[in-house]
Amino acid sequence: MSLVLDPAAQDLLFREARTANSFTDEPVTDEQVRAIYDLVKYGPTAFNQTPLRITLVRSPEARERLVGHLAEGNRAKTAAAPLVAILSADNEFHEELPALFPAFPQAKDAFFAERPVREHSAALNAALQAAYFVVGVRAAGLAAGPMTGFDAEGVRKEFLDDDHAPLMIVNIGRPAADASHPRGPRLSYDDVVTTV
């Protein structure tokens, strides 16, 4: 069975898409980010929870503060990216569950009353949403450079609060001509899939 998605869209989202390390100076607008979110918010999560939070780092002052928390190899590309987003998990996501999961509004207290349970669920489901976000950036004709090389506690203290855990930093923009490394190898279907 072949895929239903148009081959050009498959290429845009997956086959030809690359992690970008450099970008043109074309700005990324709030309208573009809104369109990305309005698409990817439909990706599935457990109990329809929505723990992902997106902090857009636009001002030069905020960018400078962020760069100081990044691993050395991530600093220059983040300083030069048209837009940078801090993706974090909201550990108090359960407060929204009665509205987001009306089929079982009691899920908030039945499953997520304990903070450690919420933290685990928020991290997993926000990571799913972060992956959707990267694909959404590609759907907008932009490139993403997601990074986990940063001081998470420093970023949390600088930009978030005790209820939010940073997951990744994503540089966003139109890729420059030399934006990416050659495509790396991937595992084959037979290396990954087991039937029992």
Side-chain angles (χ1 to χ4, degrees):
M1 178 177 166
S2 63
L3 298 173
V4 175
L5 188 65
D6 178 79
Q10 295 173 36
D11 288 344
L12 176 71
L13 299 179
F14 297 101
R15 290 191 196 100
E16 299 300 324
R18 301 286 190 279
T19 296
N21 292 303
S22 60
F23 302 90
T24 69
D25 59 1
E26 181 179 334
V28 177
T29 67
D30 287 338
E31 292 76 18
Q32 286 172 301
V33 177
R34 182 178 297 277
I36 291 164
Y37 179 74
D38 284 343
L39 173 66
V40 304
K41 69 184 179 184
Y42 295 108
T45 58
F47 294 97
N48 199 38
Q49 62 184 268
T50 308
L52 182 70
R53 298 296 179 263
I54 303 165
T55 303
L56 300 178
V57 182
R58 288 206 179 272
S59 75
E61 298 80 17
R63 183 79 59 102
E64 186 175 335
R65 290 177 10 235
L66 176 62
V67 166
H69 295 289
L70 301 181
E72 184 64 38
N74 292 333
R75 291 178 180 176
K77 59 188 172 184
T78 300
L83 179 63
V84 181
I86 301 168
L87 304 188
S88 62
D90 181 358
N91 292 311
E92 296 299 312
F93 71 88
H94 69 305
E95 296 295 343
E96 305 291 339
L97 282 181
L100 293 175
F101 198 62
F104 185 46
Q106 304 88 341
K108 171 186 179 244
D109 297 315
F111 294 107
F112 300 110
E114 301 295 324
R115 175 73 178 226
V117 173
R118 289 198 307 274
E119 288 177 354
H120 176 76
S121 190
L124 175 61
N125 287 280
L128 280 172
Q129 290 187 283
Y132 303 144
F133 181 80
V134 169
V135 173
V137 167
R138 293 172 173 182
L142 302 170
M147 302 171 295
T148 56
F150 62 93
D151 172 12
E153 183 61 14
V155 169
R156 187 194 61 73
K157 285 181 179 177
E158 190 81 42
F159 294 96
L160 306 171
D161 60 32
D162 289 341
D163 290 328
H164 293 79
L167 300 172
M168 68 180 66
I169 310 294
V170 183
N171 296 331
I172 304 168
R174 294 237 180 254
D178 62 347
S180 302
H181 302 295
R183 167 75 77 198
R186 297 296 193 269
L187 294 176
S188 73
Y189 177 89
D190 292 330
D191 291 330
V192 174
V193 178
T194 303
T195 301
V196 294

